[in-house]
Amino acid sequence: MSEHRRKPQQPQEGGRAAARRGQPAPSSRRAAPRGATGSPADSYGAGGEERPYGGRAEARRAAQRSGGGGRRRAPDGPGRGPGGPNGPGRGRGRASVPAKKRIIDYPRAGKYGAARWVPSWKLVTGMFIGFIGGLVAVAGIGYAMVSVPNVAQTATAQNNVYYWSDGTQMVATGGETNRQIVNLSQIPQAMRYAVISQENKTFYTDSGIDPKGIARAFFNMATGGQTQGGSTITQQYVKNARLDDQSQTVTRKFKEIFISIKVGATVKKDDILAGYLNSAYYGRNAYGIEAAAHAYFNKQAIKLNPGECAFLAAMLKGATYYDPAGNPAIDPSATAEANQRRATLQMQDTLDKMVQYGHLSATDRAQYKALPHVDNPRSNTRLSGQTGYLVDLANSYLVTHSDQTHITQQKLQQGGLQIYTTFDKTKVKQLHDAVKNVQDKNIKPKERPKTDTFVQFGGASVDPASGAIKAIYGGEDATKHFTNNADSTGAQVGSTFKPFVLAAAMEWGVRNKDLGEEQAQDERTVASPKSLYSGKNKLKIKKYDGTVWTDKDNKEWLQANDGNLSVGKAPDYKIDLREAMQYSVNSVYVQLGMDVGTDKVEQSALDAGILKSSLASSNFPSFSIGTSDPSAIRMAGAYATFAASGRQNDPYSVDKVSSKDGTVFQHVKQTKDAFTPKVADNVTDVLKTVVDKGTGTAARLPGRDVAGKTGTTDDNKSAWFVGYTPQLSTAIGMYRMDDNAANKNRTFLKMYGTGGQKEIHGASFPAQIWHDYMAEALKGQPPAQFPTPEPIGKVINDTPSPSVTPTPTQSVTDSPTPTPTPSESLNSPLPTPSDTCRKFDWTCGSNGGTAGGTDAGGTGGVTSSPTESSSSGNSRGNGNGGLFAGPNG
């Protein structure tokens, strides 16, 4: 056997065994494991030769120099190479060098995975203590920096300055401080406990702040909600005393909290309560309880009874919505009726809580079941005449359009604004004078108390090119009559609504009676003003498909004309739409509305600029002849759409607002195309006929183009004339209504005999006022002509009867009914007195001249629409027709 075969295999001991013996590893062609030295550079020599270390100490030093043996691990982790724990093969790596300690051990050293990110209890405790300490330090600094407010030096809001359209000053008002500070001894106990019971029942025991309320306020600010509510009396006092800073910011809230804490800790509770009652705003420009007592009851605060105190506590909730006089100019939902309901409920709730908390006996509480009598809401004589209505209208526009103007009621209250209105000073005076002259000459309440009391007028004038409101007549005096008659009255507009029916017939057309309902909506025939309809009195109204219209009680609708007269030649009495408008024939326009669809008539009115909230239900035929109650401003604006050849501009009252910081708001014109010029100009051409030779002849302006329409309503309760030239559109309304009594519902009264006339029509006093005003307002302006209309549409029902040309003595007019003369153009023979219903007699016939049997009839004015639950008339009178109207409250 060869020597090679006899030689034993050498053991592969390497570094670990050699390290134990203190000897180097045997020489071998194979390099030592990389972990032996911990350095790839030392593992292999040139040509692959091993470079052994001389001994244990040298290996240890080499391992320390290389940062540990074997594969590099995390700090403090063992190596993987051969050798002992601290030797070249399994050294401690970086653990052999002590780690530098950190102040905050996070992520945690010596932990792996998720454990590295879990803070230790020491870290959590330290951070908590630091956080609390920081809060205490901030609170201490904040507490030291704030001071207790002095109510005598606060609540000094600035005036707002209002300007006419020519830039001259109208009035400076709105920021006056009507306030007189009184001691707590001059404030009745009932007032103190009314406020405590309603606002903060723990006032005398709490610390002055409400943590829950504060948290809710911060949450609301973060989510964009309302920030008020939930505050203690102390917090409210601090807020009232800081009118110079009313911004809704986190910084201001924190500052208020610190001040409230300091006030609660350093000021007596009685002094805080007195300060709150002396600084709170009660409405009517009254700051403090003494001013409020005079503003509402004309007495000293100490003389207030518990009912009056509970009432004033309700005013602290927001006088706009609780003042019994109403504030519709600020918010259309704040009507007198709605405010009275809210104030009553709030007052009664306060009294109940006073009893519940032991501040008032049940016997005393029983004496105050109704609202107390409240005095005149206006005391600022600078707002007398029309000025108060103009200021209210400007404020209303700014607040109701706050998304555009960025002006809230609170900002108005602070003041400091320059408000440039659209009102023309000269035109305002001219409109006032025109109304006053007619009223003084004809309305005699002392001579005719039963017919001439409570007569009211309202008017508005709008620029068709822009929608700017140039003038209004709101009533006798803003400090005596509080409803703005130009903006929202609830008076129905009668036949002045008929132009919207005509516009709808030319815009959408009448439905094809031979088609199904769905198809008929799409396939329509545009009507020409020459289209023919029946002017028969007590006309049986049909649906577009020819079937007779009946209400839910299956009663047919028989439409009466003014004076129970048929217009046209028997037997069918057909006349064209121009003549029917000229003589205001109800039966023609009611049937036309049914053929077009009352939904389209409604849309026509909306497109022209009438507000949805002022429209009556379009489910009844009479909708087409004016059961709705838009305001004078909105009617003038809607007719201005026709004057502008179909271009609609919403009426507005403020051009610009600025402050010390620059422009706050600038009006931007936004014109919409409501109707095509062809439609609008044809409506104008028909309305010219009304003024030239129809019911509106009293409004003629020699040398000028005038278009307009008269209107009279059921039972002679309101009368209108709305008309325009190319430069100006004006609406005048007249009615009787006692709306000054705070605890009475507004009721429209009949005008038979008013002004010494048998009946009042739109062609009488309203048309006269319109004429007198427009003649003055247009002086100096050259006459302008309306556009010549293009032919439009097709003649509907084109089988004419013999020509009919009614004269004013035979016509169905909105003027006082004359004595007809025999004529072929009228129904033969004329009815005898026994056959004729008294004009505007609601009891004549079955249902006021609308729905009923063959005896229905009796009024040529507009009849009120039946409600959904009744076929009888329903006088709306809800006051929703204002310029900036919203839901009625």
Side-chain angles (χ1 to χ4, degrees):
M1 182 177 294
S2 69
E3 184 177 350
H4 174 73
R5 291 174 61 89
R6 291 197 302 270
K7 188 175 181 178
Q9 183 73 28
Q10 293 299 316
Q12 299 290 324
E13 292 185 308
R16 187 178 298 177
R20 282 198 302 269
R21 294 194 300 268
Q23 299 175 357
S27 176
S28 172
R29 183 74 179 170
R30 178 179 177 136
R34 296 179 66 179
T37 66
S39 174
D42 292 339
S43 297
Y44 297 94
E49 292 293 328
E50 180 183 11
R51 300 193 322 191
Y53 297 106
R56 181 184 304 171
E58 186 177 349
R60 185 166 59 249
R61 287 193 297 271
Q64 291 173 348
R65 285 195 303 271
S66 65
R71 181 180 301 169
R72 188 174 294 246
R73 297 287 301 270
D76 298 336
R80 286 189 179 180
N86 296 313
R90 195 171 178 86
R92 295 293 293 172
R94 293 186 183 274
S96 61
V97 179
K100 186 178 181 180
K101 291 185 178 181
R102 295 178 290 173
I103 296 176
I104 299 177
D105 184 20
Y106 192 81
R108 298 175 67 183
K111 302 292 183 180
Y112 305 99
R116 282 169 57 80
W117 303 100
V118 178
S120 67
W121 68 270
K122 293 181 180 179
L123 179 62
V124 172
T125 303
M127 291 182 67
F128 177 76
I129 293 173
F131 177 73
I132 296 300
L135 286 181
V136 171
V138 170
I141 294 171
Y143 186 88
M145 291 181 66
V146 300
S147 59
V148 175
N150 182 352
V151 71
Q153 298 174 355
T154 58
T156 55
Q158 304 175 63
N159 277 334
N160 294 314
V161 182
Y162 297 79
Y163 296 91
W164 296 104
S165 59
D166 63 2
T168 59
Q169 182 173 318
M170 178 197 306
V171 66
T173 186
E176 304 89 348
T177 305
N178 175 23
R179 185 163 56 99
Q180 180 184 354
I181 296 177
V182 294
N183 295 326
L184 190 64
S185 60
Q186 296 173 278
I187 302 173
Q189 273 198 341
M191 186 66 209
R192 306 179 218 171
Y193 288 125
V195 173
I196 290 173
S197 299
Q198 189 61 255
E199 303 273 341
N200 183 191
K201 66 179 180 181
T202 61
F203 168 71
Y204 277 107
T205 58
D206 64 33
S207 63
I209 62 171
D210 175 13
K212 290 182 179 179
I214 293 170
R216 183 165 55 249
F218 279 118
F219 175 79
N220 287 342
M221 274 194 290
T223 57
Q226 295 293 322
T227 58
Q228 62 266 32
S231 298
T232 63
I233 286 177
T234 303
Q235 288 175 270
Q236 287 295 322
Y237 162 66
V238 169
K239 182 178 179 180
N240 292 342
R242 300 182 67 236
L243 274 179
D244 59 323
D245 182 10
Q246 292 292 302
S247 57
Q248 298 295 341
T249 63
V250 173
T251 302
R252 185 191 64 80
K253 274 291 180 187
F254 270 119
K255 192 171 183 180
E256 257 182 28
I257 291 170
F258 290 136
I259 296 174
S260 299
I261 293 172
K262 195 163 191 175
V263 168
T266 61
V267 181
K268 295 179 181 179
K269 288 288 187 178
D270 281 351
D271 292 340
I272 294 172
L273 183 59
Y276 172 60
L277 294 174
N278 276 313
S279 63
Y281 183 65
Y282 296 80
R284 299 192 177 186
N285 196 42
Y287 290 87
I289 183 62
E290 186 70 15
H294 284 281
Y296 288 94
F297 305 113
N298 196 27
K299 63 170 66 172
Q300 292 178 300
I302 193 63
K303 296 180 180 180
L304 295 171
N305 63 45
E308 293 166 338
C309 291
F311 168 86
L312 290 178
M315 295 304 103
L316 296 174
K317 294 288 184 182
T320 296
Y321 300 98
Y322 290 91
D323 188 336
N327 286 282
I330 300 299
D331 188 334
S333 67
T335 63
E337 295 85 348
N339 281 15
Q340 289 162 24
R341 288 194 299 270
R342 283 187 283 258
T344 300
L345 290 173
Q346 187 69 22
M347 170 187 166
Q348 297 303 314
D349 180 66
T350 299
L351 290 168
D352 289 341
K353 286 179 178 177
M354 291 173 70
V355 174
Q356 179 184 348
Y357 301 141
H359 303 313
L360 183 68
S361 70
T363 303
D364 290 341
R365 187 259 178 273
Q367 301 177 39
Y368 309 106
K369 294 291 187 181
L371 282 177
H373 174 74
V374 176
D375 284 349
N376 180 346
R378 291 188 189 271
S379 58
N380 187 345
T381 55
R382 283 177 289 177
L383 298 177
S384 62
Q386 299 303 301
T387 305
Y389 301 126
L390 298 172
V391 168
D392 285 348
L393 199 60
N395 290 345
S396 176
Y397 180 81
L398 293 174
V399 173
T400 56
H401 292 77
S402 59
D403 57 330
Q404 303 169 31
T405 65
H406 309 294
I407 295 174
T408 62
Q409 180 63 34
Q410 186 181 58
K411 193 170 184 67
L412 275 175
Q413 181 184 326
Q414 281 183 258
L417 301 175
Q418 292 84 51
I419 300 170
Y420 296 85
T421 73
T422 62
F423 308 129
D424 185 306
K425 181 177 182 180
T426 302
K427 288 182 173 61
V428 169
K429 184 178 186 306
Q430 289 166 342
L431 182 53
H432 170 269
D433 291 346
V435 173
K436 195 81 168 78
N437 289 339
V438 169
Q439 190 169 22
D440 289 348
K441 289 178 182 178
N442 299 281
I443 309 302
K444 309 288 185 182
K446 293 182 179 179
E447 295 179 16
R448 296 182 290 266
K450 292 184 178 181
T451 60
D452 286 19
T453 52
F454 309 126
V455 173
Q456 298 182 31
F457 295 90
S461 203
V462 172
D463 180 0
S466 65
I469 303 171
K470 292 300 182 182
I472 65 165
Y473 179 84
E476 176 189 358
D477 187 319
T479 63
K480 299 176 182 178
H481 172 78
F482 313 128
T483 299
N484 186 342
N485 293 347
D487 194 28
S488 179
T489 63
Q492 294 178 352
V493 295
S495 292
T496 58
F497 205 77
K498 288 174 182 173
F500 306 129
V501 185
L502 180 61
M506 294 190 291
E507 182 77 17
W508 285 284
V510 300
R511 293 173 286 186
N512 189 330
K513 66 180 180 180
D514 297 325
L515 300 176
E517 184 172 354
E518 186 172 342
Q519 190 177 2
Q521 291 289 350
D522 299 325
E523 297 190 25
R524 294 168 170 266
T525 302
V526 172
S528 162
K530 297 179 181 179
S531 297
L532 301 169
Y533 274 82
S534 176
K536 183 180 179 180
N537 182 51
K538 299 181 184 177
L539 179 69
K540 186 178 291 187
I541 299 302
K542 298 178 181 180
K543 300 178 184 177
Y544 80 94
D545 60 4
T547 59
V548 177
W549 190 92
T550 57
D551 62 14
K552 70 178 188 63
D553 297 323
N554 205 34
K555 291 183 179 180
E556 296 179 344
W557 191 283
L558 303 178
Q559 182 59 52
N561 287 329
D562 190 13
N564 285 310
L565 299 177
S566 294
V567 179
K569 184 174 176 62
D572 51 17
Y573 306 99
K574 284 186 179 178
I575 59 171
D576 65 31
L577 298 181
R578 183 184 297 273
E579 289 177 312
M581 187 74 77
Q582 178 181 344
Y583 297 112
S584 201
V585 183
N586 290 337
S587 57
V588 169
Y589 276 91
V590 170
Q591 186 59 62
L592 178 62
M594 296 298 286
D595 290 351
V596 174
T598 49
D599 61 325
K600 297 300 185 187
V601 174
E602 178 179 25
Q603 189 59 53
S604 174
L606 294 172
D607 289 344
I610 299 299
L611 293 176
K612 174 72 173 177
S613 58
S614 67
L615 294 178
S617 171
S618 61
N619 294 333
F620 302 95
S622 61
F623 176 76
S624 294
I625 52 174
T627 54
S628 301
D629 54 21
S631 67
I633 292 174
R634 282 290 168 177
M635 287 301 290
Y639 273 47
T641 301
F642 298 130
S645 293
R647 294 182 297 275
Q648 192 265 335
N649 296 284
D650 261 359
Y652 71 100
S653 55
V654 177
D655 269 319
K656 185 179 74 171
V657 179
S658 60
S659 69
K660 62 181 178 62
D661 299 318
T663 300
V664 177
F665 163 72
Q666 178 71 59
H667 177 267
V668 177
K669 181 179 176 181
Q670 295 180 332
T671 302
K672 296 180 289 186
D673 291 327
F675 307 106
T676 64
K678 184 185 290 188
V679 169
D681 293 344
N682 271 279
V683 171
T684 294
D685 194 57
V686 171
L687 294 181
K688 280 180 62 180
T689 307
V690 175
V691 176
D692 290 343
K693 52 184 178 181
T695 61
T697 54
R700 290 176 186 163
L701 295 174
R704 292 187 183 274
D705 273 2
V706 177
K709 184 70 187 77
T710 54
T712 307
T713 60
D714 183 61
D715 268 343
N716 217 206
K717 290 181 178 178
S718 61
W720 290 78
F721 185 82
V722 187
Y724 55 94
T725 67
Q727 301 106 318
L728 201 60
S729 177
T730 301
I732 303 294
M734 175 184 178
Y735 55 92
R736 288 183 66 211
M737 181 175 65
D738 179 13
D739 63 352
N740 279 328
N743 296 315
K744 289 175 60 178
N745 290 327
R746 300 190 303 174
T747 302
F748 289 93
L749 307 173
K750 300 176 183 180
M751 292 191 290
Y752 297 119
T754 297
Q757 299 192 8
K758 183 178 179 182
E759 297 158 2
I760 297 297
H761 295 262
S764 56
F765 299 141
Q768 185 179 343
I769 292 170
W770 188 96
H771 169 272
D772 294 349
Y773 160 69
M774 291 289 280
E776 292 296 318
L778 295 172
K779 268 186 179 178
Q781 296 187 42
Q785 305 297 313
F786 289 122
T788 301
E790 298 180 32
I792 190 171
K794 179 182 177 181
V795 177
I796 309 296
N797 304 322
D798 57 351
T799 53
S801 301
S803 176
V804 52
T805 309
T807 63
T809 59
Q810 302 156 347
S811 63
V812 183
T813 71
D814 283 319
S815 59
T817 305
T819 304
T821 58
S823 170
E824 286 188 346
S825 65
L826 295 177
N827 188 14
S828 63
L830 292 175
T832 64
S834 61
D835 297 326
T836 306
C837 295
R838 183 185 176 209
K839 214 170 175 186
F840 305 100
D841 187 351
W842 181 251
T843 60
C844 180
S846 295
N847 282 305
T850 54
T854 58
D855 289 333
T859 174
V862 57
T863 52
S864 304
S865 294
T867 63
E868 300 289 350
S869 60
S870 172
S871 62
S872 63
N874 174 31
S875 181
R876 295 175 78 246
N878 59 9
N880 274 345
L883 169 60
F884 314 119
N888 205 18

